[in-house]
Amino acid sequence: MNTEATPSVVTTTRLGRVLLVTINHPPVNALSVDVRRGLLAAVQEADADASVAAVLIVGAGRAFIAGADIREFGKPSMAPSLPEVCSRLEACRKPVVVAIHGPALGGGLEVALSAHYRLAMPDARLGLPEVLLGLLPGAGGTQRAPRLMGVKPALEMMLSGRHQGAGEALTLGLVDRLGEGPDVLAAGLAYAGELVASGAGVRPTREADAALADKPASQAALDALKADTAKKTAGLFSPLKIIEAVQGALDLPFDEAVALERQLFLQCLDSPQRAGLIHAFFAEREVAKSPETRNATPRAIDSVGVIGGGTMGAGIAVAVLNAGLPVTMVERDDAALARGRANVEKVYDGIVAKGRMTPEVRAAVMARFSGSTSYDALARADLVIEAVFEEMGVKKAVFAELDRVCKPGAVLATNTSYLDIDEIAASVSRPQDVVGLHFFSPAHIMKLLEIVVPAQVSADVVATAFELAKKLKKVPVRAGVCDGFIGNRMLAVYRATADHMLEDGASPYQIDAAAREFGYPMGPFQVADLAGGDIGWATRKRKAATRDPEARYVQIADRLCERGWFGQKTGRGYYLYPKGARVGIPDDEVLAIIEAERQRAGTTPRPFSNQDIMRRYLAAMVNEGARVVAEGIALRPLDVDVTLVHGYGFPRFRGGPMKYADTVGLPTILADIQAFAREDPLFWQPAPLLLQLIEEGRDFDSLNKP
Ligand code: 3H9
């Protein structure tokens, strides 16, 4: 046991007439109870000591303050609360100055807003991102930010959660001055010294009223944002609460408005959305840690090869180029290579057209792109990602070439979504260098990257894949080898239950609507139309021979594919897309095909409520998720959650399917599975892990703890 006293996380030092308050609570100076106590004590010290003329608060390490300590939420609260600390800071009788470097977020910015003078260094990032955690700024932020910036910019900052740079914060009135030089302490001390010398007094933000003076204009801005928010964030709890709190800034005296803010904050804190979003926040960080990243050193990656210039290959090339690395694309002939290059250029043209990149930058990026029809061009590549046709023979042929040309130690990655990577690895002379990098389309946009770990791969290759994910700003999830890895394997099962429901009486339009109501941006049939039905069709045909003849197989998708209705790209699928429309309209002919299939299968259609639909959909997903965890395909339930949130549109505010299962309770999920099993016992077999956890009175989250 460690018996040493914990060093104080807040220290005070006298530097002339300035009381320097340093917060030193790694990694990001979150406002845990000790920090709150330390800040309170520091203000008391300043007020009690007549020789102190000003207080300067700085953060040690890489941040000013990243916000409230998120790990404390959901646990019993401990005094002093952050709102108390902020009011006490504001009430200090000596001028309080903050010097901000790095993140000043959430409660961290609220501390700064309660100070009397604010200086920001060039690397400062200021914001109130509570909305991303299902919360609202609950330590006066909804009151003080509008007083400094005006209602519109303050609300926009709070509703988006966006961080601002120092320059923007100065322009908007959030800070008073920009610091120069590399040293935040020196810049802060110079500013504090200047304020003392000029006899500057305290300047409580609660008394600032200029930015709110034009009440009708403020009200109009708030009303417009309220209407917009109600439309855009349907289903989310905290955005409208933020607006309600800011309305308080317009209507109520400061103390009453702060009390209202507290009440609304506590409502958000109690909401399941807060629990879901905070679970997602930590899970997204936890997935980046795998046994290999802890124990192995990544290989250097300074150049990347991509085989294949189709949509996937080009998207991967763009993702790599965006990370600042050079890319060599290999295609089988000049025409295919020209198409591949054009696919890459098309992405950048779109970005330039939207004004998000200058033509000069585009040219500089494309200068890092080269193409070849010969594998020999990959001789010096540190890592090669293959994105060719999804067929074992084709993949093995590519890997034989890579084995021939690549330098020793080069990482050889496949972007396969289903195929057995152990078999691919076994086909080359260096299986230890072969890994799966499963990107999601469009690869330069979708955040998820499944890192698929075959049996023989060496740990440093896996660590390299995680390092690459970091460079590409992807969310990496470690997955084991199986048919479909984590995401597609689960998709196959919950998509099958959607197909069963089609045949049993629900329409694709109702199923999609139920999924959207739950929080998905799109339903499964909209996604199928977007992805293109032909790919799934090819997979089904490939697997037909090995399919369990006893398993229920719904043929509706095959009937559509036989007609060439592959979705958006062919103008119709489950929906109609007249003249290239992106949003489909329901199609009576599809409903007629479904009806005919019901008759062929001898099912009597029955009504489903949207709730019935989602219960089946989620029970199937959770059950398969439990198998994926039990088999070690996913390291922990949280890896399943992150995969489904970042690759499959599962609503982030629900945390992911396994977190969702914990929220409704595992016995409820099991009861559903058992009820559905009465109709189809083969499909609805409870996963052993689910049964075990229920028997032990545990939840999925208990498996997330190290
Ligand atoms: C709030 O303030 C509410 C108030 O309005 C009202 C209160 C009454 N707490 O992301 P990283 C950990 S709500 C605890 O990898 P980066 C993180 O888990 C809060 N821990 O680094 C990780 O731990 P580990 C509003 C936190 O450089 C480590 O720090 N604030 C917190 O890529 C490094 O994090 C926010 O929402 C925290 N607040 O990014 C800001 N923040 O090493 C949330 C981080 O064990 N934080 N950790 O995995 C961020 O956006 C990023 O972490 C930040 C650094 C930009 C700061």
Side-chain angles (χ1 to χ4, degrees):
M1 212 176 86
N2 185 357
T3 51
E4 276 175 41
T6 351
S8 176
V9 290
V10 178
T11 50
T12 53
T13 318
R14 279 295 295 275
L15 294 172
R17 299 191 62 203
V18 175
L19 183 73
L20 171 67
V21 181
T22 308
I23 304 167
N24 189 358
H25 185 39
V28 289
N29 296 333
L31 291 154
S32 62
V33 64
D34 290 340
V35 177
R36 300 197 300 272
R37 283 183 188 144
L39 281 173
L40 201 57
V43 194
Q44 278 156 358
E45 183 184 338
D47 267 343
D49 186 340
S51 64
V52 170
V55 179
L56 171 66
I57 305 178
V58 295
R62 59 184 165 118
F64 175 64
I65 304 172
D69 187 341
I70 305 174
R71 290 177 211 272
E72 284 183 1
F73 293 147
K75 298 185 184 149
S77 58
M78 282 175 287
S81 71
L82 190 58
E84 268 174 77
V85 174
C86 288
S87 328
R88 184 65 188 86
L89 266 179
E90 193 173 51
C92 182
R93 293 191 299 275
K94 320 286 169 73
V96 179
V97 186
V98 291
I100 299 169
H101 77 295
L105 301 174
L109 183 57
E110 290 175 299
V111 166
L113 298 179
S114 311
H116 305 131
Y117 299 92
R118 286 161 289 278
L119 171 140
M121 300 303 284
D123 68 343
R125 288 157 66 193
L126 302 94
L128 293 171
E130 285 86 344
V131 71
L132 304 176
L133 303 173
L135 291 169
L136 53 81
T142 65
Q143 305 306 308
R144 293 190 180 94
R147 279 176 165 75
L148 292 177
M149 309 164 79
V151 162
K152 189 166 185 276
L155 262 180
E156 281 170 350
M157 176 172 79
M158 289 185 253
L159 291 170
S160 66
R162 199 171 68 81
H163 303 176
Q164 298 179 6
E168 192 183 355
L170 181 72
T171 312
L172 290 171
L174 205 52
V175 299
D176 304 298
R177 178 174 291 205
L178 297 185
E180 279 167 23
D183 185 351
V184 63
L185 179 57
L189 280 173
Y191 188 30
E194 218 179 278
L195 289 166
V196 170
S198 67
V202 297
R203 205 180 51 158
T205 307
R206 59 183 284 154
E207 289 166 14
D209 50 12
L212 298 183
D214 186 349
K215 190 166 175 207
S218 298
Q219 188 61 54
L222 184 142
D223 290 342
L225 282 165
K226 189 171 177 176
D228 190 50
T229 303
K231 240 188 295 155
K232 281 199 197 135
T233 61
L236 287 180
F237 186 71
S238 75
L240 288 172
K241 299 284 167 192
I242 292 176
I243 295 178
E244 209 178 323
V246 174
Q247 182 72 58
L250 292 178
D251 296 344
L252 301 172
F254 186 83
D255 289 328
E256 281 176 44
V258 164
L260 171 69
E261 177 198 78
R262 183 71 182 162
Q263 192 193 327
L264 296 169
F265 175 79
L266 293 175
Q267 286 175 20
C268 292
L269 196 62
D270 277 345
S271 74
Q273 292 193 1
R274 188 276 304 159
L277 287 166
I278 286 185
H279 171 77
F281 177 87
F282 285 118
E284 284 154 9
R285 282 158 180 79
E286 215 49 44
V287 285
K289 300 167 193 163
S290 77
E292 294 86 357
T293 58
R294 289 195 183 97
N295 301 321
T297 310
R299 298 181 187 174
I301 299 294
D302 296 317
S303 61
V304 175
V306 175
I307 321 278
T311 310
M312 193 43 108
I316 295 172
V318 171
V320 177
L321 288 169
N322 287 348
L325 292 164
V327 172
T328 305
M329 178 181 277
V330 168
E331 259 291 4
R332 61 182 176 279
D333 55 40
D334 288 335
L337 185 59
R339 276 196 301 275
R341 172 182 269 275
N343 284 340
V344 172
E345 285 177 335
K346 201 164 71 192
V347 174
Y348 285 113
D349 289 343
I351 301 173
V352 171
K354 282 189 193 130
R356 294 206 204 117
M357 186 182 263
T358 62
E360 292 73 29
V361 174
R362 176 195 184 283
V365 172
M366 283 309 291
R368 280 188 274 112
F369 178 87
S370 60
S372 176
T373 53
S374 162
Y375 280 90
D376 295 321
L378 300 175
R380 303 189 55 75
D382 296 314
L383 174 137
V384 181
I385 308 167
E386 149 302 292
V388 301
F389 190 63
E390 190 75 346
E391 200 190 283
M392 186 54 90
V394 180
K395 303 274 190 201
K396 280 188 183 166
V398 168
F399 270 79
E401 285 299 299
L402 297 182
D403 203 7
R404 181 178 65 80
V405 300
C406 289
K407 66 182 181 189
V411 174
L412 310 182
T414 169
N415 177 51
T416 181
S417 347
Y418 286 98
L419 297 177
D420 182 352
I421 305 182
D422 283 321
E423 189 179 332
I424 297 176
S427 73
V428 293
S429 67
R430 34 174 139 175
Q432 72 281 2
D433 296 335
V434 176
V435 71
L437 288 179
H438 182 210
F439 287 84
F440 289 72
S441 189
H444 58 291
I445 292 177
M446 294 289 285
K447 284 270 168 248
L448 181 65
L449 180 64
E450 272 182 306
I451 295 178
V452 191
V453 178
Q456 296 190 62
V457 68
S458 77
D460 64 344
V461 167
V462 179
T464 310
F466 275 91
E467 193 59 28
L468 178 78
K470 202 191 286 176
K471 281 194 180 149
L472 304 191
K473 298 199 173 69
K474 299 285 179 203
V475 181
V477 175
R478 186 189 192 279
V481 176
C482 71
D483 192 347
F485 318 131
I486 300 176
N488 281 345
R489 169 165 162 181
M490 290 175 62
L491 169 69
V493 177
Y494 64 81
R495 179 51 212 268
T497 200
D499 287 342
H500 297 170
M501 287 189 276
L502 272 194
E503 205 172 63
D504 289 339
S507 82
Y509 315 122
Q510 189 197 356
I511 294 174
D512 283 348
R516 288 195 304 270
E517 200 176 278
F518 181 78
Y520 273 91
M522 280 191 247
F525 299 103
Q526 290 174 290
V527 172
D529 273 3
L530 187 67
D534 46 340
I535 299 161
W537 195 29
T539 311
R540 290 195 297 281
K541 285 196 258 189
R542 179 162 52 80
K543 291 186 185 164
T546 51
R547 192 181 301 130
D548 179 352
E550 297 298 313
R552 181 172 180 185
Y553 181 74
V554 174
Q555 300 181 22
I556 295 166
D558 296 343
R559 294 296 91 80
L560 302 189
C561 290
E562 284 153 15
R563 287 169 169 78
W565 299 356
F566 294 142
Q568 274 193 28
K569 62 183 174 189
T570 57
R572 71 194 297 180
Y574 290 94
Y575 293 80
L576 282 169
Y577 302 88
K579 295 197 198 77
R582 294 179 74 107
V583 180
I585 49 175
D587 183 350
D588 284 341
E589 278 188 65
V590 168
L591 294 177
I593 291 168
I594 294 172
E595 191 46 45
E597 279 301 305
R598 287 174 186 155
Q599 286 180 13
R600 190 194 54 72
T603 56
T604 313
R606 63 176 199 272
F608 284 84
S609 69
N610 285 6
Q611 208 196 0
D612 292 337
I613 290 172
M614 288 319 287
R615 276 170 69 172
R616 281 174 190 261
Y617 201 65
L618 293 161
M621 195 182 300
V622 170
N623 203 33
E624 192 62 13
R627 290 185 206 284
V628 159
V629 172
E631 290 171 27
I633 299 300
L635 282 178
R636 301 146 296 195
L638 67 83
D639 296 82
V640 173
D641 285 336
V642 172
T643 303
L644 273 285
V645 167
H646 286 283
Y648 298 82
F650 193 96
R652 191 167 178 275
F653 67 80
R654 295 188 190 270
M658 313 316 270
K659 173 70 184 173
Y660 172 80
D662 282 352
T663 309
V664 297
L666 303 194
T668 306
I669 302 279
L670 178 63
D672 276 349
I673 292 172
Q674 287 166 336
F676 306 148
R678 281 185 221 119
E679 294 158 23
D680 185 350
L682 186 60
F683 184 80
W684 291 104
Q685 294 179 45
L689 178 63
L690 183 63
L691 295 170
Q692 185 196 330
L693 288 173
I694 292 172
E695 198 172 305
E696 293 170 2
R698 295 165 64 196
D699 59 8
F700 285 119
D701 198 40
S702 66
L703 302 174
N704 287 329
K705 317 269 185 278

